[in-house]
Amino acid sequence: MKIVLQKVSQASVTVDNKIISQINKGYMLLVGISTEDTLEDVNKLSNKVLSLRIFPNPDNNDDFWKLNIKQIEHGQILSVSQFTLLAKTKKGTKPDFHMAAKGHIAIDLYNHFLTNLRKELGEANVKDGQFGAMMSCGLTNEGPITIILDSKN
């Protein structure tokens, strides 16, 4: 399982020219599920996302890397399933997506991931894209802070 985590001041997902999800302060996550992933991988990375300390102490903005998403006021997550994170590009010019889990398998693991996040952060604070749809993602990356998480590393 791979995740690209970006700290954002706002993010949104649009499908067919309509905004379907949006958040303010928090994380934009791009989530890739591989053929090798299990519930253990999902639990490992959902815990990592929730516990990473990348927010400053609100009493002292110079005191960075102190708080996690659960500890900040109004922290939200916008998560988007993205099988292209599993692309292999070693040979040729066409990406190979054979390591990405098939949709019916990936959606179950992805939904478990969302459930884990919502249990800790609250239903209203974890938004989602539209699984399998062609989506446009917009965001304002703060920092910029972008972290790549891999359950196998």
Side-chain angles (χ1 to χ4, degrees), residues 14-92:
T14 302
V15 175
D16 294 330
N17 296 316
K18 180 182 174 207
I19 294 175
I20 63 164
S21 291
Q22 59 186 3
I23 64 162
N24 291 313
K25 178 174 61 174
Y27 297 151
M28 173 78 167
L29 305 178
L30 303 176
V31 180
I33 308 287
S34 85
T35 57
E36 299 174 352
D37 289 333
T38 65
L39 285 177
E40 184 178 330
D41 296 286
V42 170
N43 293 337
K44 178 180 179 180
L45 286 193
S46 56
N47 288 333
K48 181 62 78 172
V49 165
L50 292 165
S51 64
L52 273 177
R53 296 182 309 159
I54 65 172
F55 293 94
N57 178 342
D59 299 329
N60 180 0
N61 280 337
D62 291 334
D63 199 8
F64 218 73
W65 314 108
K66 295 295 180 187
L67 303 178
N68 64 44
I69 189 82
K70 297 184 297 184
Q71 296 170 312
I72 64 167
E73 188 173 349
H74 307 297
Q76 297 182 301
I77 293 174
L78 177 52
S79 181
V80 174
S81 177
Q82 187 173 358
F83 77 93
T84 59
L85 288 178
L86 285 299
K88 299 289 182 195
T89 57
K90 188 173 183 176
K91 292 183 180 180

